[in-house]
Amino acid sequence: MSNTYRDSCGAGLENEEEFVDILEERRRSSDLGHALRTFSPHPYKGAESCSNADLNKAVLESQYLRYMAKEIAAETGSSVEEVREEACGILEEMSQNLQLKCIRLMGFTMTKVLKRLYSGIFVNMEGLNMLQQSIQEHPVILMPNHRSYMDFLIISYIMFTYDIPMPFIAAGIPLAGMKLVGEVLRRSGAFFIRRAIGSDKLYWAVLSEYVRTIIKTGIAPLEFYVEGLRSRTLKSVMPKLGMMHMVMEPFFKGEVYDITLIPISISYDRVLEESLLAHELLGIPKPKESTTALLKASKVLQEDYGSMHVNFGRPMSVRHLCEGKINRCQYNLVPRDLPQKPSAEVQACVSWLAHLMVRVQEEGSVMGPWALMACLLLQAPTRVLTEEGLPWQELTDKTLWLRKLALDFGARLNWPSGQGQAPDTDVMSSTVALHGSIVNHKAGRVFLVQEEEPTRNRPISPEEKMISTAAAVLMLASYRNMSLHIFVRPALLATALHIKKTTQKDELLAFFCFLRDVFSNDFIFIPGNSSQDFEEACFLLKKCGAVHVSEQEVTVSVAGLEVLSFLQALLQPFIDSYQVIFRYLCENEVHVYAEKQFLTAVRNLATELILSGELHTYEALSSDTHKNVLSALQRLDSLTKSRASEQNEYTVNKAAVRRIDDILSGKIPPQMLHTTPEAKL
């Protein structure tokens, strides 16, 4: 079976030589010598030298910005000079100021920090060599996934180490506000973007022209996160399309011959922010990004975070990817320097590309044993994990079984084994020891670690105890999420087989498409690929011997019950969480909800159900899940967001929500759903 994303990524890590530990050399040589060595990158062949002042001047004096300034002045009643002055202020706030001496300082500091935090940073050298070549041929866009604050600088650190031109990096504006740190990041190549741009035409115009000028001139690779924000759940986030449109526009308008996209998959054994992320999901506000908070967080330097893998994917040509998908002649009808609203065809193409990049990032990610162990720990009852403990032998046996299944499904697995390596049980023991903040291995059993409560004069309430357990469960769920892209398609088919109790392929396909549509905010699927995803699910389940597939039927084999049971249980927390929200929306008499009140009310309902023993899924407390359900129901025309409201108000169609819930429960067939799969994607 052929998939473009699978072809570009391969499976398994049979060839360990392709990944080199870049810290090994740093541990043997001078950190200062590394920072001060000659830096001689080979830039894009068409690029002329361009200072930061020259770049800003080119943006401000562009025909596009001149046109937009006149238009905005006419709309607002301001003078053109006032608008241009405001544009100048935006650019000053936004623009990078890359300086080599600052890069050297960061290189020295980063080496010290990385050596303390990580046992190794493994880089795919073949991918790095291809990147080096690509930068000389076409403008390059670096597209890493975003799981940790560490992502932000690691790419630049690697490029400095290997004499590759330093990238300009799109960063959130809160980072610019950090005293001293903000300026260091700016001088390391970061340009800062406001998070809520909304309908600010001038800001959009300045940002898009800034991005467009960087790409047209090729003065530096451009780096941005297609997911937008850092993932708080460690699984892929629905791509944001604004920046993707901006980087594609120079190609669509024929201003460059081609653009090269470089997907980058950054994988961690352990994430620095694991506890912080879990508490955010439970509604505890994220601490403000500040220099003081950064200094307080320095205690993480005393912890062990295992290893990191940075996998530079194969360069992808935008010209090649867009062939047959878009007619660029439409851009010839309007002068290049004038704004042009993207057509539906262009929007669909950009959306497809963004989803494809996320999928390639997923396929390139490297999983450690902990991602598999987390899957299995979460399938044990929480009471067992907190009170009795899960037998160590049971966990290790199941993990080895799951390792084989993951490799059958095409996972890239970082598992030290074979000649001269540690035995499997030692690998798993050291993995559990690394994650001592979440689980504890004692007396042959594994227990969930719960936060120590501060000394208090009153007894701990059931709600407080539950939140403490929920934080540990959500941390565990985050690491399980690292493996979901491997299992999700077979899991959707396993769930269809479980709920529908049919062997008919067409019925299973219909239910598979329904599940895929409902959960497409929690899992990333390429638009228009539902049939391919179903065929992939059939292929993988057949490959591992779980099902027999014919033209008309998918039948379960006796040997496949364990696989199907595991996969169905993997998806169950998501189904349970969605059904809690469906229940709240259907049983409540209110028809219009403000988002803030809705999130609080749903969390309160989930808390009640967990404390009463009716619900066993702590993930139903996660604010990310709640927001994903809101997005899914909007796509399925069951919820309407009010455009006039400042509070994000939603009007619910209770009958439509009830119908989705009934389909998910298997009470009615998916044909009854009035929205066809992917109609809203």
Side-chain angles (χ1 to χ4, degrees):
M1 178 184 174
S2 174
N3 288 295
T4 52
Y5 35 79
R6 281 192 183 276
D7 294 343
S8 67
C9 296
L13 280 182
E14 292 103 16
N15 181 13
E16 280 291 351
E17 287 72 42
E18 69 174 347
F19 280 86
V20 171
D21 179 9
I22 64 169
L23 290 186
E24 195 176 320
E25 175 66 25
R26 298 285 66 76
R27 294 189 202 281
R28 293 199 305 259
S29 58
S30 158
D31 296 344
L32 190 59
H34 174 250
L36 296 178
R37 70 188 221 297
T38 304
F39 178 59
S40 51
H42 298 288
Y44 171 50
K45 64 186 178 189
E48 296 175 13
S49 63
C50 178
S51 68
N52 302 316
D54 290 340
L55 173 60
N56 289 0
K57 187 180 177 187
V59 172
L60 285 170
E61 294 184 356
S62 66
Q63 282 294 109
Y64 173 70
L65 214 57
R66 286 175 187 277
Y67 176 87
M68 289 302 294
K70 285 179 187 172
E71 194 173 82
I72 291 164
E75 284 176 10
T76 59
S78 308
S79 70
V80 173
E81 286 69 30
E82 285 172 326
V83 175
R84 286 182 64 76
E85 203 171 305
E86 191 184 339
C88 199
I90 291 170
L91 197 55
E92 201 172 300
E93 173 195 80
M94 179 190 298
S95 62
Q96 56 75 39
N97 185 20
L98 183 65
Q99 296 177 9
L100 186 57
K101 59 188 175 185
C102 194
I103 293 293
R104 293 191 185 283
L105 173 64
M106 287 297 284
F108 178 73
T109 310
M110 284 284 288
T111 301
K112 297 286 186 196
V113 170
L114 294 171
K115 287 197 295 188
R116 288 287 295 272
L117 290 175
Y118 300 104
S119 56
I121 296 178
F122 296 90
V123 176
N124 169 23
M125 297 311 295
E126 186 188 353
L128 201 60
N129 292 335
M130 287 191 287
L131 166 62
Q132 210 156 16
Q133 184 63 37
S134 296
I135 281 177
Q136 296 168 53
E137 294 170 357
H138 299 290
V140 160
I141 312 297
L142 303 171
M143 299 178 71
N145 55 357
H146 199 11
R147 301 292 175 267
S148 168
Y149 283 126
M150 194 53 71
D151 304 338
F152 188 78
L153 292 169
I154 193 62
I155 306 296
S156 296
Y157 181 79
I158 293 168
M159 293 175 83
F160 173 68
T161 300
Y162 287 96
D163 282 343
I164 301 173
M166 301 303 294
F168 294 166
I169 311 161
I173 197 74
L175 292 173
M178 295 171 71
K179 286 178 186 170
L180 184 64
V181 174
E183 188 54 34
V184 169
L185 293 175
R186 193 184 293 276
R187 293 183 187 198
S188 300
F191 64 95
F192 299 99
I193 303 172
R194 295 176 195 168
R195 281 187 177 156
I197 302 172
S199 57
D200 188 334
K201 282 175 77 171
L202 184 60
Y203 194 90
W204 274 109
V206 174
L207 175 58
S208 60
E209 187 60 25
Y210 189 72
V211 168
R212 189 173 150 199
T213 306
I214 292 168
I215 294 169
K216 280 194 301 181
T217 56
I219 57 172
L222 183 75
E223 179 183 331
F224 81 99
Y225 302 111
V226 70
E227 297 168 288
L229 300 173
R230 186 173 46 119
S231 169
R232 298 188 300 174
T233 58
L234 301 189
K235 62 182 168 65
S236 298
V237 175
M238 183 72 85
K240 307 292 185 291
L241 303 182
M243 183 66 85
M244 197 74 185
H245 269 288
M246 289 178 201
V247 300
M248 293 296 110
E249 197 172 42
F251 170 73
F252 292 154
K253 288 188 168 182
E255 293 170 308
V256 292
Y257 179 77
D258 199 359
I259 293 172
T260 302
L261 306 179
I262 308 283
I264 305 172
S265 308
I266 307 174
S267 313
Y268 298 89
D269 280 350
R270 186 181 168 204
V271 177
L272 271 70
E273 308 93 328
E274 57 184 14
S275 175
L276 182 71
L277 294 173
H279 286 89
E280 274 186 58
L281 293 172
L282 290 168
I284 297 158
K286 180 177 82 166
K288 190 182 176 191
E289 285 141 340
S290 67
T291 307
T292 310
L294 183 67
L295 293 171
K296 283 181 183 174
S298 62
K299 65 179 182 180
V300 301
L301 294 174
Q302 295 152 24
E303 300 257 343
D304 179 9
Y305 288 88
S307 62
M308 181 198 306
H309 281 76
V310 184
N311 188 3
F312 288 85
R314 291 184 184 280
M316 301 173 79
S317 156
V318 167
R319 190 176 191 87
H320 174 70
L321 288 167
C322 292
E323 204 173 320
K325 284 194 170 287
I326 186 168
N327 178 9
R328 292 194 293 159
C329 293
Q330 60 193 281
Y331 283 97
N332 296 338
L333 303 174
V334 176
R336 285 175 180 171
D337 290 318
L338 297 188
Q340 187 173 351
K341 191 178 177 186
S343 64
E345 180 190 55
V346 168
Q347 290 181 42
C349 181
V350 169
S351 174
W352 174 81
L353 265 177
H355 284 79
L356 176 67
M357 295 309 292
V358 173
R359 184 73 205 277
V360 176
Q361 288 171 352
E362 287 181 338
E363 294 291 335
S365 64
V366 177
M367 286 193 305
W370 184 240
L372 303 179
M373 297 175 93
C375 288
L376 298 165
L377 284 163
L378 280 169
Q379 293 192 11
T382 308
R383 180 187 51 77
V384 170
L385 293 179
T386 53
E387 296 171 18
E388 305 160 27
L390 190 68
W392 173 249
Q393 191 62 50
E394 182 185 327
L395 178 61
T396 54
D397 289 348
K398 275 295 269 232
T399 303
L400 292 173
W401 168 83
L402 188 53
R403 177 180 70 171
K404 183 182 182 307
L405 184 68
L407 289 171
D408 275 350
F409 283 3
R412 286 178 169 270
L413 209 53
N414 172 35
W415 188 299
S417 59
Q419 195 172 5
Q421 299 284 2
D424 289 332
T425 49
D426 289 359
V427 170
M428 288 183 275
S429 290
S430 62
T431 295
V432 167
L434 182 68
H435 293 279
S437 56
I438 305 176
V439 291
N440 188 4
H441 177 200
K442 59 183 179 185
R445 289 180 175 268
V446 180
F447 296 85
L448 200 63
V449 172
Q450 291 171 277
E451 293 174 333
E452 287 183 25
E453 286 296 321
T455 310
R456 58 176 82 211
N457 299 324
R458 58 178 178 78
I460 184 170
S461 70
E463 285 82 5
E464 288 168 326
K465 189 173 189 314
M466 189 211 69
I467 288 295
S468 174
T469 304
V473 170
L474 289 179
M475 278 196 276
L476 202 53
S478 292
Y479 287 105
R480 173 213 58 201
N481 290 344
M482 288 178 161
S483 69
L484 283 177
H485 66 278
I486 296 295
F487 299 118
V488 67
R489 288 157 188 80
L492 291 177
L493 180 52
T495 301
L497 285 160
H498 174 76
I499 293 175
K500 291 305 294 174
K501 304 283 190 291
T502 181
T503 61
Q504 293 302 305
K505 207 171 180 181
D506 56 349
E507 289 180 38
L508 291 170
L509 171 61
F511 200 77
F512 178 96
C513 290
F514 162 74
L515 290 172
R516 183 184 181 278
D517 207 22
V518 169
F519 292 114
S520 65
N521 282 83
D522 267 297
F523 313 110
I524 305 305
F525 302 107
I526 298 172
N529 262 33
S530 53
S531 296
Q532 292 95 315
D533 285 339
F534 179 73
E535 289 303 324
E536 182 182 339
C538 291
F539 170 80
L540 293 175
L541 288 181
K542 183 181 177 183
K543 182 183 176 186
C544 71
V547 298
H548 304 292
V549 182
S550 68
E551 285 289 316
Q552 280 83 33
E553 288 190 304
V554 179
T555 53
V556 178
S557 70
V558 176
L561 293 175
E562 188 178 15
V563 171
L564 295 172
S565 173
F566 163 77
L567 292 170
Q568 192 262 322
L570 199 62
L571 209 59
Q572 197 59 47
F574 296 93
I575 293 174
D576 290 345
S577 300
Y578 275 53
Q579 287 182 321
V580 166
I581 297 170
F582 295 160
R583 172 174 168 177
Y584 171 76
L585 290 172
C586 291
E587 292 181 1
N588 202 307
E589 290 182 7
V590 181
H591 283 265
V592 179
Y593 300 91
E595 185 174 312
K596 201 171 178 183
Q597 285 78 7
F598 166 82
L599 295 175
T600 304
V602 166
R603 187 175 284 120
N604 290 343
L605 173 61
T607 301
E608 284 173 30
L609 295 174
I610 290 169
L611 289 173
S612 71
E614 190 179 336
L615 177 68
H616 303 287
T617 302
Y618 285 80
E619 290 172 69
L621 297 164
S622 166
S623 56
D624 262 40
T625 302
H626 303 161
K627 289 173 183 176
N628 285 341
V629 176
L630 286 178
S631 297
L633 291 175
Q634 277 183 269
R635 268 190 296 103
L636 297 168
D637 286 343
S638 304
L639 212 60
T640 310
K641 188 174 180 179
S642 168
R643 294 188 181 277
S645 168
E646 288 181 13
Q647 292 189 12
N648 281 357
E649 282 190 344
Y650 297 89
T651 304
V652 64
N653 178 340
K654 292 182 187 295
V657 173
R658 199 170 288 113
R659 187 161 58 247
I660 293 168
D661 194 20
D662 285 345
I663 297 169
L664 196 53
S665 307
K667 293 175 186 172
I668 59 174
Q671 285 84 349
M672 298 280 293
L673 190 67
H674 71 96
T675 312
T676 56
E678 293 177 348
K680 297 289 166 189
L681 274 180

